[in-house]
């Protein structure tokens, strides 16, 4: 229990929730105001499973000086999908036709392949100092703070791992708000913006491949995110949750709220 002298923590807006409200305020409303939870899609389950394995593997490198054996990586990937699957998974129309058992097997195979690829090609290059380090940005004069976790920190760089269906472009990495939030977190924790940011992509092509893009952030990028944060808090306080029906996110595949949303675009 906190002592009477300790100042209570303000409510916080997580970095992931901020990205959601920037993408579609109506989606934020369903998830965080109405507290309606929907099962993740198969791609999200695979992404989370692979991320967990990468974190486990890099933790071993940081703490013990060596990566896990490849067999352990493969086993952990399969175990993660099995565990996440038990929490519920949302299938799209094509996946439903294929059947739950077949889709699960494909998800396990893909997670194993991507985790092995990370183990062989990315993990040997990474020298982790911190993994999933938490930060809190206290916003004076606002009713909420911003919280988040930085994915992988090296000595003077931060890396974000993603699984993707296509190779990203330079424009993608320049516009990546996740990396900007990581840069902000680093400045909050240590007082300076990291000199380099990396977007590590495990691309789900027929033969999976690694695509790493390097970028930087300046104070102007952090200022832009802070403006987004201020506007997001205003939207939350006023309950003015506009819908954004333009974009990939407003589809049956990527939004679990499409069946109850009056603004749904109709995209498959």
């Amino acid at each position: 229990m906190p002592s009477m002298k300790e100042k209570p923590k303000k409510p916080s807006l997580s970095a992931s929730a901020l990205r959601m409200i920037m993408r579609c305020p109506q989606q934020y409303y369903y998830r965080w105001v109405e507290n309606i939870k929907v099962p993740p899609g198969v791609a999200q389950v695979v992404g989370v499973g692979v991320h967990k394995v990468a974190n486990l593997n890099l933790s071993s490198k940081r703490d013990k000086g060596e990566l896990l054996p490849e067999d352990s990586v493969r086993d952990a990937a399969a175990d993660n999908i099995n565990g996440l699957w038990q929490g519920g998974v949302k299938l799209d129309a094509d996946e439903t036709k294929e059947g739950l058992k077949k889709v699960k097997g494909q998800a396990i195979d893909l997670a194993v392949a991507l985790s092995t690829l990370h183990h062989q090609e990315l993990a040997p290059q990474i020298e982790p100092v911190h993994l999933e380090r938490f930060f809190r940005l206290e916003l004076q004069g606002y009713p909420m703070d911003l919280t988040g976790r930085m994915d992988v920190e090296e000595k003077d760089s931060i890396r974000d791992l993603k699984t993707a269906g296509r190779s990203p472009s330079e424009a993608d990495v320049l516009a990546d708000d996740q990396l900007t939030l990581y840069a902000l977190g680093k400045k909050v924790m240590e007082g300076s913006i990291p000199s380099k940011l990396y977007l590590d992509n495990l691309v789900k092509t027929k033969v999976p491949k690694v695509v790493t893009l390097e970028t930087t952030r300046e104070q102007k990028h952090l200022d832009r995110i802070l403006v987004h944060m201020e506007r997001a808090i205003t939207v939350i306080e006023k309950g003015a949750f506009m819908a954004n029906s333009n974009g990939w996110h407003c589809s049956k595949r990527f939004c679990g709220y499409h069946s109850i949303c009056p603004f749904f675009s109709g995209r498959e």
Side-chain angles (χ1 to χ4, degrees):
M1 293 291 291
S3 70
M4 295 298 290
K5 294 182 180 180
E6 289 180 346
K7 185 178 179 180
K9 295 286 188 185
K10 286 192 300 185
S12 63
L13 183 66
S14 70
S16 60
L18 175 60
R19 294 198 309 276
M20 180 181 287
I21 201 170
M22 288 165 62
R23 182 170 63 240
C24 180
Q26 184 71 13
Q27 190 179 64
Y28 175 93
Y29 169 78
Y30 287 132
R31 174 61 185 88
W32 297 105
V33 179
E34 293 295 322
N35 198 31
I36 301 173
K37 298 179 181 180
V38 295
V42 176
Q44 186 178 354
V45 168
V46 171
V48 171
V50 170
H51 194 279
K52 285 178 176 288
V53 178
N55 189 282
L56 184 68
N57 202 19
L58 291 174
S59 293
S60 176
K61 185 174 186 179
R62 179 194 61 189
D63 300 338
K64 300 179 181 179
E66 60 183 9
L67 296 169
L68 296 171
E70 188 169 306
D71 285 348
S72 297
V73 168
R74 296 170 66 87
D75 290 344
D79 290 345
N80 279 340
I81 300 302
N82 280 315
L84 291 165
W85 209 269
Q86 292 179 6
V89 180
K90 178 175 65 67
L91 304 185
D92 63 24
D94 292 336
E95 291 163 346
T96 300
K97 290 178 182 177
E98 287 194 83
L100 189 64
K101 183 177 181 180
K102 182 177 180 180
V103 171
K104 181 182 178 182
Q106 292 170 341
I108 290 174
D109 290 345
L110 180 57
V112 168
L114 295 177
S115 296
T116 303
L117 180 64
H118 184 279
H119 175 75
Q120 293 175 343
E121 295 192 21
L122 267 176
Q125 306 174 30
I126 299 172
E127 297 299 332
V129 176
H130 300 289
L131 298 166
E132 299 287 342
R133 187 158 60 138
F134 175 84
F135 70 90
R136 174 183 285 267
L137 174 61
E138 296 184 5
L139 297 175
Q140 301 297 325
Y142 289 91
M144 303 177 79
D145 291 337
L146 176 67
T147 59
R149 293 185 183 276
M150 294 173 281
D151 197 356
V152 179
E153 295 174 72
E154 296 179 288
K155 185 175 180 181
D156 195 28
S157 65
I158 303 179
R159 312 184 79 103
D160 184 30
L161 176 65
K162 282 186 169 65
T163 57
R166 63 171 182 84
S167 296
S169 66
E170 292 293 337
D172 291 330
V173 74
L174 287 172
D176 192 296
D177 288 320
Q178 180 80 52
L179 290 175
T180 305
L181 286 163
Y182 286 165
L184 177 60
K186 187 77 167 180
K187 185 170 184 181
V188 169
M189 297 292 291
E190 298 183 2
S192 62
I193 300 172
S195 62
K196 295 179 182 178
L197 296 158
Y198 295 99
L199 185 59
D200 292 324
N201 296 270
L202 301 175
V203 185
K204 297 178 283 188
T205 43
K206 187 174 182 180
V207 177
K209 62 182 180 179
V210 174
V211 177
T212 294
L213 295 175
E214 179 184 325
T215 188
T216 59
R217 293 294 185 268
E218 301 173 16
Q219 184 60 45
K220 65 181 181 181
H221 299 108
L222 275 56
D223 292 341
R224 182 180 66 83
I225 282 291
L226 291 173
V227 171
H228 275 299
M229 178 71 184
E230 293 172 355
R231 296 293 174 84
I233 292 173
T234 299
V235 168
I236 294 167
E237 286 187 300
K238 294 182 179 298
F241 298 100
M242 296 289 290
N244 178 13
S245 302
N246 295 313
W248 59 267
H249 59 276
C250 191
S251 65
K252 289 182 180 179
R253 182 179 181 187
F254 292 109
C255 183
Y257 303 106
H258 69 269
S259 61
I260 61 172
C261 182
F263 308 101
F264 176 52
S265 68
R267 296 185 188 89
E268 290 294 327

